[in-house]
Amino acid sequence: MAAVLESLLREEVSVAAAVRWIARSAQSSEDDPGEAAALSSLRPLRKEFVPFLLNFLREQSSRVLPQGPPTPAKAPGSSAALPGRPGGPPRGGRGARSQLFPPTESSSAAAAEAPSARRGGRRRGPGPGRERGGRGPGGLEEGVGGESQLWPGGRRSRGSGSPGSPSLVRSDPPNLSNLEEFPPVGSVPPGPAGTKPSRRINPTPVSEERSLSKPKTCFTSPPINCVPSSQPSVPDTSPWGHGLPPGCRSLQEEREMLRKERSKQLQQSPSTTCATSELGPPLPSWTGNLTAESADPARVSSRQRLELIALVYSSCIAENLVPNLFLELFFVLQLLTARRMVATKDGDLEPSPGAPDSLESPLFQSVHDCVFFAVQVLEHQFQVLSYLDKGTLKLLAENERLLCFSPALQGRLRAAYEGSVAKVSLAMPPSAQAVSFQPETDNRANFSSDRAFHTFKKQRDVFFEVLREWEDRHEEPGWDFEKGLGSRIRAMMGQLSAACSHSHFVRLFQKQLLQMCQSPGGTGGTVLGEAPDVLSMLGADKLGRLRRLQERLVAPQSSGGPCPPPTFPGCQGFFRDFILSASSFQFNQHLMDSLSLKIRELNSLALPQPEPSDEDGESDVDWQGERRQFAMVLLSLRLLAKFLGFVAFLPYRGPEPPPTRELQDSILALRSQVPPALDVRALLQQGLRARRAVLTVPWLVEFLSLADHIVPLLDYYRSIFTVLLHLHRSLVLSKESEGEMCFLNKLLLLAVLGWLFQIPTVPEDLFFLEEGQLDALEVDTVASELGLDGMPVVDQHLLYTCCPYIGELRKLLASWVSGSSGRSGGFVRKITPTTTTGLGAQPPRTSQGLQAQLAQAFFHNQPPSLRRTVEFVAERIGSNCVKHIKATLVADLVSQAESLLQEQLVTQGQDGGDPAQLLEILCSQLCPHGAQALTQGREFCQKKSPGAVRALLPEETPAAVLSSAENIAVGLATEKACTWLSANITALIRREVKAAVSRTLRAQGPEAAARGERRGCSRACEHHAPLPSHLISEIKDVLSLAVGPRDPEEGVSPDHLEQLLGQLGQTLQCRQFLCPPAEQHLAKCSVDLASLLVADHIPVLGPPSPRGLERGQARRLLHVLLSLWKDDFQVPVPLQLLLSPRNVGLLADTRPREWDLLLFLLRELVEKGLMGRTEIEDCLGSLRDAQWPKDFSEELATLFHLFLAEPHRPEPQLRACELVQTNRGTVLAQS
Amino acid sequence: MILTKAQYDEIAQCLVSVPPTRQSLRKLKQRFPSQSQATLLSIFSQEYQSMLAFSCHCITTWLCLSRYLNGVGRNGAAPVLLELANEVDYAPSLMARIILERFLQEHEETPPSKSVINSMLRDPSQIPDGVLANQVYQCIVNDCCYGPLVDCIKHAIGHEHEVLLRDMLLEKNLSFLDEDQLRAKGYDKTPDFILQVPVAVEGHIIHWIESKASFGDECSHQAYLHDQFWSYWNRFGPGLVIYWYGFIQELDCNRERGILLKACFPTDIVTLCHSVA
């Protein structure tokens, strides 16, 4: 490889030719024959060039960047790691490689390489024959032999599951302390379960077994709070962190493993004992005291060589030959902001002008060289830079080194900064807003049984209770999800027995997930297709400000390096932990089904269609909406896909890949039979064909990022990766031609793909696959159609939302400005756009017959908003039509059913027979009427759609266009409504009639009869009557006074009694506040009161009177009561209680006994028709059965006879009788 | 009437071991003239109920029955049962229920069903023993915290306030769905009113309103939160609870979370403007 580089340096080969040579296997006609000859001899090495170059640069820069944040790199492993791929013959590459490190350098290399390893410097050694993670078979040669000493301990032990070598001696210890922020990825020897934060190729030859995937981590995941010797303490920073119960990878354990590992290594490599033992957690702090060396363009050594390599490097970046564009930019910015050179042992810091064209001398001999190189590369990458956020551009433009080395670039950057309008807002975890209850999907009719319905009711509440508790407590130190909520969640899941309940719960779960996690800038509570939050519509200014403040307080400080591993930030953590704690197979399966369905649905959503014509203001307005909708859909898809990936691969996820080839093969054999949870390959292919990669790939990447170690080895997924690699290579940013993907679309895809290739579970060598395969994978896109890819759907907001790690660039630059790197670069935050909710989900296109084709054609040349409007109107009108039919036709049929049923009940008596049979009869009569639904539905759509379309389209729409749009809307709406109606109308009628029948039958019960017809208050009523509760309470007080015990001074005034009864009358006339139970109690209390009056038991206030109330007063009160009973009560009054033994018994206590009032009352009852004579006679008859004192029995018998003796209509006599102040004596005398 | 926790505690302090009778309530009114009777009654009854719930009333029912029988044996017209209840610090209605159960058990082979007991308490005339019927009736009309009459009063008060609230909503032109409509639509949890168009009250969005014709003390509010308010929130989003007889100020701590407490119909209502220019 070095040979290639050298031939470049010697100008035997032009850079362009070299890059062409690297990028394409075949020779191009543009190539100079001489160049071709020079290169063809090196042909077998072609594939190794890029990894070589990258590793070369990392190594060379190691002396300047020991302290910097790690430039992550993923060391490609051997392709032999992939099954069925025989290891190729050893290459001479190692030999060439060794030339890069001439003996003179070897001593300094020890010092130099360690930091580079720590940073995850790359040594891409792909290709057959190269052992993964090692220097390959070539390692047996001198170079590696030599190096293995330089890498003591080191990664050679990777296969044993304890990779990672402690960093070596650093000549400049203060520089190391940056590790706190940027842990030395290579220097962390993780435990077996653990994570290896570097992907740098291990210089140690490894065995065949070890060539399999092995535990590794995103080296790029320097969790901010990590100390160099410990594992990332944030569980999520390790790829399998999710999926493991907490505690199983405790820091303690890891420390222990680390310790063991270290001692092992010490034994293995005594020569470095000293060096390794110096490593340990307590690294000197350097932050803040590190002053940067100033960089001077005049002091750059070997300019030409640097320029050339910068050009080659930039060309590789431009051709997407590097796996991760932003990682390289990060690296370049690190070089730009390098603080100072680490002194090498031989002190050879002087430029060696004699050897500008060889690789013998170090590439970067000083900070000046680094900065020069960086600026060179940045100049080539200006286009990408110009798309970065304003903050980054500002920092770049203000960088004094950049200004010093290239005022021109600075000028361009400043211009780009000034021209950049996009602001990137901050993210905040939206507060929980519950999924709303929707009767259409959530009411009893959607459940198999009452029990299931009520269980789900409880579950919804438990779910939100758990969610609220999580919200309150998850940030408390020491709080643990599983401990805090696990058992409650499992208890709840345990109740979900029926499959139907599972699907209900999953729907709730998924909706809540989307609601809480999908809208990143979210005011919360908005789901795709739902109305935007009222809050934003109300424009609550204060709240908005408060929210922004809150955002600022809670915004994450770092996304965890330029290539963080997949994490579940914020609320997503709740859902992940919920899934883990629930550990329910059924739930997971239903969730996967539901997620898959939703993904398919959203993925195929008709999104903005190309608008070939005008780019005027109108379309601008439209584009805002289109972009927003695209962003919403994309973000939802990514979220859903991530969770689908999480659940789908959950059973297979483990801390490490299978240890042996045999085991791996058997696992592969098993797994290859399992169909994928979602046919993502087909969706990817469809997406590419329809030129919708910009929608499909980002979510696919999320899905794949959660795959386990085996997945990339499975044929199915391998083929997906191959396609993705091909796509990645094809996304050359500089190509801008007709039909090309838009720049930011490409940038998004490059960013997400680059990130995916760095995921620990993705094999390291995957990126450098044999190109033969790549070339074979041409995707035949439908060339004629300009899909989403060609639309400017991605904006900077979306890019930064999907790839927050791009913000690391800004952070790096900011740390340069602030003089310290890392954590305190606080203003850099996770970036998310202020997207608001999208519009309602659009119905998928219907395509049927010629009419449909014509309609399609019609839309083709119209603005996309027209189509959306029409589809939207059709969808809504269709749906409203169904509702209308329900409310009219079906409701009519139901009332018919009710009257039919009433008839039935009348003819057949109370029970009316078997309800099921009744239902059948009714349905057979009524269901045929359902056919009218279609006619009525058609009419409805015909009537309603045109107006809606007209209202929504611009006034200026040409008449013909308008009428066509109206017609199409009518057609679509009718189709939608009629399809539904014809399929469901019978069932609907049946269901409604059934409900009506059971309602009617229930109403037929004994209580209902008592209810009777109820009158309302009169029209003039102003509802000023006393409240029923007040009256009951007052009457109760009178009763309790009457019954006693009472204080001597207590009593009731007759006026009060009269007033009370007056109020009772008012209340009974104003029905506004009266409910039946209250009226019933009032009735009963009034009867009790009457009995107490009759028995003269009411204590009267005022001068003590032996007879209580005056008889006349009592009689008046009884009169009032009688009229209330007769005219005002609408519930049955329990008058028979007047003759209950208890109430009549009250008379027994009074002496002398006064029977006249009772007799009066009985007569009045009969006269007013309140009680029948026979009824009273029955009551009196049964009274005689009770146990009474003898004299009382006698008197009672007399009364009985007296009452019986009266003629049936003896009004005059009775009245006369009543006027006489009868006492007991007279009454009895009459007998 | 919104009380601070301290004010509430002062009232509650006065209620310790006071029998829940008419006379007690009268004294309470004299002690706290600034509080409305309804508020006091509500606090009284809730405090009493929670006190009953917490104190372990191991009433030896047999003993009570025999004491009762002795008592009425001496004088059937004396308030034997009521005094017995007051003596053992037990609500008269509950005491009546216990004695009635025991009594029926004594006289009939099979223990009486709950519905029979309830029906007898509602209408003591059905009680076969005349003396007991009177005693039970006396207990019921004298109890201001328990019993069928008190239950009915509470229910009526609740209903009246719902009606009042409905009128206020209509007056404010706020369209809503009431409990019956919601039930008919198949909602599993139904607040008194769901607003068809949400409004903002004191800057908080509300989707539903629940009327509580009682005083919001800690115990009942927690129970309501768990059984009702959070459930409503879970389904319909943030909402408003009106405790017509007041509440403890400190309980109104979930405003940000989406449960707003008021002691009256709110005046600061912001509605959605339909003509957003």
Side-chain angles (χ1 to χ4, degrees):
Chain A
M1 283 299 96
V4 181
L5 213 48
E6 299 226 5
S7 58
L8 274 166
L9 289 176
R10 285 194 298 270
E11 292 178 359
E12 285 166 10
V13 179
S14 76
V15 172
V19 174
R20 275 200 301 276
W21 172 74
I22 299 156
R24 292 165 211 94
S25 53
Q27 277 175 16
S28 158
S29 54
E30 304 155 48
D31 291 344
D32 177 78
E35 290 175 340
L39 291 170
S40 64
S41 64
L42 298 167
R43 190 154 190 233
L45 307 176
R46 200 173 52 83
K47 276 202 309 294
E48 294 183 22
F49 180 78
V50 175
F52 166 76
L53 176 67
L54 298 180
N55 274 337
F56 172 70
L57 288 173
R58 299 291 196 274
E59 277 158 19
Q60 290 292 305
S61 66
S62 58
R63 285 192 309 150
V64 256
L65 299 172
Q67 84 286 359
T71 303
K74 191 156 146 177
S78 157
S79 53
L82 301 171
R85 186 96 56 86
R91 301 289 167 82
R94 286 298 101 216
R97 168 73 181 82
S98 64
Q99 290 168 19
L100 296 178
F101 296 93
T104 52
E105 200 202 291
S106 61
S107 53
S108 67
E113 286 206 4
S116 105
R118 184 165 58 73
R119 284 190 330 275
R122 280 166 214 235
R123 294 179 177 211
R124 305 255 173 202
R130 176 162 294 182
E131 288 299 334
R132 165 199 210 126
R135 297 257 166 137
L140 301 173
E141 296 164 26
E142 46 141 347
V144 169
E147 278 189 16
S148 59
Q149 283 164 11
L150 298 176
W151 288 76
R155 308 285 194 68
R156 77 192 67 186
S157 52
R158 269 174 100 174
S160 66
S162 55
S165 92
S167 297
L168 303 180
V169 180
R170 286 173 177 85
S171 43
D172 188 5
N175 292 347
L176 303 177
S177 55
N178 187 24
L179 304 181
E180 195 185 319
E181 258 76 38
F182 300 104
V185 264
S187 71
V188 180
T195 50
K196 177 176 69 62
S198 171
R199 289 198 139 183
R200 183 183 168 119
I201 291 186
N202 213 311
T204 315
V206 287
S207 71
E208 181 71 1
E209 281 76 21
R210 290 203 226 109
S211 72
L212 305 173
S213 331
K214 53 189 83 63
K216 56 195 153 102
T217 208
C218 279
F219 52 73
T220 46
S221 48
I224 22 181
N225 54 352
C226 230
V227 287
S229 64
S230 72
Q231 289 300 304
S233 61
V234 182
D236 279 352
T237 51
S238 104
W240 40 84
H242 41 260
L244 282 185
C248 107
R249 306 179 308 109
S250 77
L251 214 60
Q252 201 51 49
E253 265 174 272
E254 282 166 10
R255 288 218 174 101
E256 184 57 25
M257 287 168 194
L258 183 69
R259 209 174 45 73
K260 281 185 195 153
E261 201 50 51
R262 223 180 257 147
S263 66
K264 214 190 288 170
Q265 285 165 357
L266 288 180
Q267 288 159 7
Q268 281 172 0
S269 48
S271 62
T272 57
T273 305
C274 194
T276 48
S277 62
E278 276 181 30
L279 285 170
L283 284 159
S285 161
W286 61 279
T287 312
N289 62 11
L290 185 71
T291 46
E293 226 176 278
S294 65
D296 181 0
R299 292 174 63 192
V300 174
S301 58
S302 54
R303 239 169 214 278
Q304 193 198 351
R305 191 174 61 156
L306 286 168
E307 271 172 12
L308 208 132
I309 291 178
L311 182 59
V312 175
Y313 179 54
S314 302
S315 306
C316 289
I317 295 176
E319 287 282 331
N320 293 328
L321 296 171
V322 298
N324 189 332
L325 165 67
F326 287 101
L327 198 54
E328 299 311 320
L329 285 180
F330 188 77
F331 170 66
V332 170
L333 291 185
Q334 276 186 309
L335 287 178
L336 179 70
T337 58
R339 285 177 196 270
R340 59 166 132 167
M341 203 67 167
V342 176
T344 48
K345 272 181 190 164
D346 51 10
D348 181 22
L349 274 177
E350 290 306 304
S352 45
D357 54 351
S358 95
L359 294 172
E360 298 284 320
S361 59
L363 183 63
F364 303 121
Q365 299 189 10
S366 63
V367 166
H368 320 294
D369 290 359
C370 292
V371 175
F372 179 75
F373 178 82
V375 172
Q376 287 287 310
V377 178
L378 290 178
E379 278 184 337
H380 292 296
Q381 299 302 326
F382 173 75
Q383 200 185 9
V384 177
L385 296 180
S386 67
Y387 280 90
L388 294 177
D389 68 314
K390 228 177 157 161
T392 314
L393 284 174
K394 184 168 190 283
L395 288 166
L396 265 177
E398 284 171 356
N399 187 294
E400 68 275 20
R401 282 182 168 176
L402 198 138
L403 175 63
C404 187
F405 277 76
S406 174
L409 177 61
Q410 196 267 348
R412 288 161 82 196
L413 285 167
R414 181 159 291 280
Y417 163 70
E418 278 154 11
S420 163
V421 284
K423 265 197 303 194
V424 174
S425 94
L426 307 170
M428 75 163 278
S431 67
Q433 179 90 335
V435 170
S436 71
F437 180 94
Q438 293 299 325
E440 294 78 39
T441 51
D442 296 343
N443 73 10
R444 168 67 185 85
N446 296 287
F447 289 84
S448 55
S449 65
D450 280 336
R451 206 176 135 243
F453 180 55
H454 288 293
T455 307
F456 183 66
K457 177 172 86 179
K458 278 184 225 139
Q459 270 150 357
R460 179 192 285 265
D461 289 331
V462 174
F463 177 69
F464 285 111
E465 189 186 302
V466 165
L467 180 55
R468 270 192 297 272
E469 188 165 335
W470 175 84
E471 272 200 316
D472 289 343
R473 310 201 49 193
H474 74 280
E475 275 162 346
E476 283 175 22
W479 189 80
D480 177 59
F481 188 97
E482 168 58 34
K483 258 186 233 147
L485 305 170
S487 56
R488 234 182 304 165
I489 289 173
R490 277 186 296 278
M492 181 191 87
M493 298 309 285
Q495 293 174 323
L496 292 170
S497 46
C500 138
S501 315
H502 273 289
S503 67
H504 278 287
F505 183 74
V506 160
R507 201 182 52 237
L508 177 70
F509 186 88
Q510 186 179 305
K511 271 190 179 173
Q512 190 66 33
L513 173 70
L514 277 173
Q515 204 157 302
M516 285 178 77
C517 309
Q518 162 239 36
S519 71
T523 40
T526 43
V527 177
L528 191 74
E530 283 189 13
D533 194 6
V534 188
L535 198 67
S536 50
M537 292 162 73
L538 285 171
D541 271 350
K542 269 186 207 159
L543 282 169
R545 246 177 282 144
L546 196 68
R547 267 206 179 145
R548 281 196 295 281
L549 183 65
Q550 196 188 348
E551 278 177 30
R552 227 157 274 176
L553 294 172
V554 298
Q557 290 278 316
S558 168
S559 59
C563 288
T567 54
F568 292 84
C571 306
Q572 295 181 19
F574 169 79
F575 293 92
R576 176 201 61 198
D577 293 342
F578 187 96
I579 294 169
L580 291 176
S581 280
S583 57
S584 156
F585 167 75
Q586 292 97 321
F587 171 61
N588 289 355
Q589 186 62 50
H590 280 270
L591 187 58
M592 277 196 286
D593 297 347
S594 175
L595 290 168
S596 302
L597 184 71
K598 189 78 187 168
I599 288 173
R600 277 181 182 282
E601 186 189 314
L602 287 178
N603 189 53
S604 60
L605 204 61
L607 282 162
Q609 291 301 304
E611 196 166 1
S613 54
D614 50 291
E615 276 294 322
D616 57 4
E618 178 223 1
S619 52
D620 270 2
V621 175
D622 285 347
W623 266 114
Q624 289 289 335
E626 315 276 8
R627 279 220 190 93
R628 212 160 40 221
Q629 203 199 354
F630 175 81
M632 292 308 288
V633 172
L634 182 73
L635 294 176
S636 302
L637 273 169
R638 277 166 49 95
L639 181 69
L640 295 168
K642 184 179 188 176
F643 273 86
L644 180 64
F646 175 65
V647 181
F649 301 119
L650 188 59
Y652 307 109
R653 199 168 294 123
E656 33 186 323
T660 65
R661 181 67 176 253
E662 288 71 28
L663 204 51
Q664 179 185 295
D665 285 345
S666 68
I667 293 173
L668 275 176
L670 269 176
R671 292 279 298 276
S672 59
Q673 298 180 68
V674 183
L678 174 67
D679 191 357
V680 284
R681 184 166 66 183
L683 291 175
L684 174 62
Q685 280 158 354
Q686 277 169 25
L688 292 175
R689 219 172 292 130
R691 297 183 47 85
R692 287 163 69 94
V694 70
L695 181 67
T696 305
V697 171
W699 70 253
L700 180 62
V701 164
E702 290 288 301
F703 175 76
L704 292 174
S705 74
L706 285 154
D708 59 273
H709 289 95
I710 294 295
V711 166
L713 308 180
L714 294 166
D715 285 344
Y716 178 84
Y717 288 103
R718 269 189 71 114
S719 62
I720 291 174
F721 275 105
T722 312
V723 173
L724 290 180
L725 283 167
H726 176 75
L727 177 70
H728 180 265
R729 182 66 61 83
S730 72
L731 296 167
V732 177
L733 289 167
S734 56
K735 265 199 241 163
E736 277 179 278
S737 59
E738 191 67 22
E740 264 291 314
M741 203 184 272
C742 295
F743 191 89
L744 274 167
N745 297 7
K746 276 189 200 168
L747 208 53
L748 172 67
L749 293 191
L750 283 177
V752 296
L753 286 172
W755 175 75
L756 177 68
F757 298 141
Q758 301 289 343
I759 297 286
T761 41
V762 176
E764 295 161 351
D765 58 352
L766 199 122
F767 183 77
F768 297 97
L769 266 181
E770 281 173 68
E771 287 154 46
Q773 248 178 313
L774 281 183
D775 295 338
L777 269 155
E778 270 300 332
V779 183
D780 56 326
T781 52
V782 183
S784 63
E785 204 176 310
L786 197 61
L788 271 183
D789 288 348
M791 311 266 92
V793 282
V794 176
D795 56 12
Q796 200 182 62
H797 287 167
L798 188 60
L799 176 68
Y800 274 76
T801 309
C802 293
C803 314
Y805 32 85
I806 301 177
E808 293 292 310
L809 298 178
R810 180 163 68 166
K811 213 175 150 187
L812 183 62
L813 289 167
S815 71
W816 164 255
V817 172
S818 65
S820 65
S821 56
R823 218 184 319 200
S824 54
F827 75 94
V828 185
R829 286 163 208 275
K830 197 170 173 181
I831 293 154
T832 38
T834 46
T835 45
T836 51
T837 43
L839 299 166
Q842 292 169 355
R845 274 175 273 171
T846 54
S847 49
Q848 260 181 5
L850 189 62
Q851 276 307 315
Q853 282 174 26
L854 280 172
Q856 296 282 349
F858 166 71
F859 287 122
H860 188 72
N861 286 322
Q862 297 295 337
S865 58
L866 178 85
R867 180 199 199 108
R868 267 189 308 156
T869 307
V870 167
E871 284 177 342
F872 175 72
V873 166
E875 200 260 346
R876 291 323 310 157
I877 299 282
S879 162
N880 292 351
C881 172
V882 170
K883 290 197 182 104
H884 179 72
I885 299 282
K886 271 190 206 172
T888 53
L889 178 72
V890 177
D892 286 349
L893 291 177
V894 167
S895 62
Q896 275 185 44
E898 276 167 339
S899 50
L900 282 171
L901 187 64
Q902 289 294 352
E903 284 170 29
Q904 196 84 9
L905 291 174
V906 171
T907 51
Q908 297 196 358
Q910 272 304 333
D911 1 307
D914 177 27
Q917 214 178 335
L918 270 176
L919 181 67
E920 282 311 315
I921 298 167
L922 289 171
C923 285
S924 64
Q925 284 175 13
L926 294 172
C927 284
H929 294 288
Q932 293 168 19
L934 294 181
T935 348
Q936 290 187 11
R938 251 178 234 119
E939 278 166 23
F940 182 90
C941 295
Q942 195 87 46
K943 204 170 92 199
K944 296 282 178 181
S945 308
V949 171
R950 234 174 291 138
L952 291 174
L953 287 182
E955 286 283 305
E956 291 69 30
T957 310
V961 173
L962 187 62
S963 82
S964 303
E966 287 172 11
N967 290 339
I968 294 171
V970 169
L972 288 175
T974 312
E975 183 190 320
K976 181 183 156 75
C978 290
T979 311
W980 193 90
L981 285 171
S982 56
N984 296 299
I985 190 71
T986 311
L988 179 67
I989 293 172
R990 229 187 133 76
R991 197 177 77 202
E992 295 292 311
V993 168
K994 186 177 171 187
V997 166
S998 56
R999 221 173 22 235
T1000 313
L1001 290 179
R1002 228 180 299 134
Q1004 214 61 35
E1007 282 174 39
R1011 258 184 262 131
E1013 189 71 12
R1014 294 181 60 84
R1015 300 186 301 259
C1017 7
S1018 67
R1019 191 165 292 189
C1021 180
E1022 286 182 339
H1023 313 310
H1024 291 320
L1027 294 173
S1029 59
H1030 170 75
L1031 271 177
I1032 303 173
S1033 183
E1034 291 281 303
I1035 296 176
K1036 175 175 168 279
D1037 279 353
V1038 173
L1039 295 178
S1040 71
L1041 270 174
V1043 175
R1046 58 184 168 260
D1047 297 338
E1049 77 278 7
E1050 284 184 307
V1052 197
S1053 76
D1055 290 346
H1056 178 66
L1057 275 179
E1058 263 182 74
Q1059 199 191 343
L1060 203 57
L1061 293 188
Q1063 289 181 342
L1064 179 58
Q1066 290 168 28
T1067 299
L1068 290 171
Q1069 271 154 27
C1070 167
R1071 317 295 297 185
Q1072 173 80 346
F1073 296 102
L1074 202 55
C1075 59
E1079 197 178 353
Q1080 279 159 13
H1081 269 91
L1082 281 172
K1084 184 171 172 296
C1085 287
S1086 67
V1087 172
D1088 289 345
L1089 195 60
S1091 294
L1092 288 166
L1093 282 171
V1094 165
D1096 194 17
H1097 264 263
I1098 310 272
V1100 175
L1101 269 182
S1105 142
R1107 301 192 51 193
L1109 272 180
E1110 289 294 323
R1111 310 304 288 166
Q1113 281 173 330
R1115 206 168 276 236
R1116 257 201 320 280
L1117 291 171
L1118 284 177
H1119 253 302
V1120 177
L1121 280 172
L1122 281 162
S1123 98
L1124 289 177
W1125 292 335
K1126 174 145 176 62
D1127 301 325
D1128 296 320
F1129 275 104
Q1130 292 182 19
V1131 295
V1133 182
L1135 293 169
Q1136 68 288 348
L1137 288 182
L1138 290 168
L1139 292 172
S1140 71
R1142 195 180 72 80
N1143 281 333
V1144 173
L1146 292 172
L1147 275 169
D1149 301 335
T1150 46
R1151 292 197 189 269
R1153 294 193 186 103
E1154 307 279 357
W1155 291 96
D1156 56 324
L1157 286 174
L1158 181 60
L1159 195 59
F1160 162 73
L1161 192 60
L1162 293 181
R1163 287 173 181 151
E1164 284 296 304
L1165 285 173
V1166 176
E1167 192 184 332
K1168 289 195 177 333
L1170 287 164
M1171 279 182 97
R1173 278 188 81 86
T1174 44
E1175 204 182 338
I1176 293 179
E1177 281 162 21
D1178 288 347
C1179 289
L1180 289 173
S1182 59
L1183 266 182
R1184 286 193 295 196
D1185 303 338
Q1187 300 274 317
W1188 301 113
K1190 189 162 183 292
D1191 59 333
F1192 188 77
S1193 300
E1194 282 168 11
E1195 289 178 21
L1196 196 62
T1198 319
L1199 178 88
F1200 191 32
H1201 290 300
L1202 201 60
F1203 181 75
L1204 287 183
E1206 284 166 10
H1208 279 233
R1209 281 182 155 270
E1211 280 178 39
Q1213 294 99 315
L1214 264 178
R1215 207 154 270 163
C1217 182
E1218 160 205 320
L1219 287 171
V1220 182
Q1221 279 281 344
T1222 47
N1223 59 25
R1224 173 177 140 258
T1226 53
V1227 170
L1228 293 178
Q1230 282 172 9
S1231 67
Chain B
M1 185 64 69
I2 303 173
L3 302 179
T4 62
K5 179 92 177 76
Q7 285 173 314
Y8 178 82
D9 286 343
E10 193 192 345
I11 296 175
Q13 201 55 43
C14 293
L15 298 172
V16 175
S17 65
V18 170
T21 58
R22 178 166 43 87
Q23 287 96 336
S24 308
L25 191 62
R26 203 177 55 208
K27 282 172 201 150
L28 201 63
K29 259 190 286 184
Q30 286 159 4
R31 172 90 170 71
F32 299 99
S34 62
Q35 309 295 339
S36 76
Q37 168 167 357
T39 300
L40 288 175
L41 178 63
S42 182
I43 294 176
F44 190 6
S45 128
Q46 281 157 220
E47 270 296 305
Y48 188 77
Q49 288 180 20
S50 60
M51 186 203 76
L52 271 193
F54 282 111
S55 64
C56 177
H57 263 277
C58 312
I59 294 171
T60 352
T61 50
W62 287 113
L63 195 69
C64 285
L65 182 63
S66 66
R67 283 188 59 189
Y68 160 76
L69 291 174
N70 282 340
V72 293
R74 281 195 297 275
N75 178 4
V80 178
L81 195 52
L82 186 63
E83 276 167 9
L84 185 62
N86 290 344
E87 197 182 309
V88 299
D89 252 345
Y90 204 53
S93 296
L94 299 181
M95 178 58 88
R97 173 185 287 271
I98 289 174
I99 296 297
L100 180 62
E101 268 172 358
R102 278 294 163 203
F103 185 87
L104 293 176
Q105 227 166 323
E106 292 265 288
H107 289 77
E108 285 156 36
E109 291 299 301
T110 52
S113 75
K114 218 171 172 153
S115 65
V116 168
I117 297 282
N118 283 338
S119 161
M120 285 180 172
L121 288 173
R122 265 199 305 276
D123 175 15
S125 306
Q126 295 170 16
I127 297 172
D129 180 88
V131 176
L132 182 59
N134 285 335
Q135 296 280 347
V136 166
Y137 187 75
Q138 189 174 42
C139 283
I140 285 166
V141 294
N142 274 294
D143 194 330
C144 67
C145 288
Y146 284 96
L149 263 176
V150 173
D151 289 346
C152 175
I153 293 171
K154 285 181 183 166
H155 179 262
I157 291 176
H159 177 78
E160 289 153 12
H161 283 91
E162 274 176 43
V163 175
L164 280 172
L165 178 55
R166 172 196 306 267
D167 286 353
M168 290 168 181
L169 290 173
L170 288 172
E171 195 188 314
K172 290 270 173 192
N173 235 342
L174 302 176
S175 53
F176 56 82
L177 293 172
D178 67 19
E179 240 179 317
D180 294 333
Q181 289 167 305
L182 293 172
R183 250 194 292 274
K185 283 178 173 242
Y187 282 83
D188 57 355
K189 286 272 187 175
T190 51
D192 291 327
F193 300 99
I194 287 185
L195 301 176
Q196 286 179 320
V197 181
V199 298
V201 170
E202 291 166 19
H204 297 270
I205 300 294
I206 59 162
H207 291 275
W208 49 266
I209 304 178
E210 176 79 2
S211 157
K212 287 284 170 228
S214 61
F215 182 86
D217 63 28
E218 249 173 307
C219 178
S220 63
H221 186 63
Q222 288 312 326
Y224 283 139
L225 273 178
H226 183 265
D227 298 334
Q228 300 185 352
F229 308 154
W230 285 128
S231 293
Y232 302 153
W233 186 94
N234 297 342
R235 287 157 180 78
F236 317 112
L240 166 72
V241 178
I242 303 179
Y243 277 111
W244 296 103
Y245 296 139
F247 56 90
I248 299 176
Q249 204 170 19
E250 283 83 347
L251 293 176
D252 190 14
C253 58
N254 283 311
R255 288 186 159 220
E256 297 305 322
R257 265 278 169 88
I259 291 177
L260 182 67
L261 303 189
K262 295 283 294 174
C264 58
F265 192 77
T267 45
D268 175 18
I269 297 182
V270 179
T271 52
L272 187 60
C273 301
H274 286 289
S275 53
V276 184

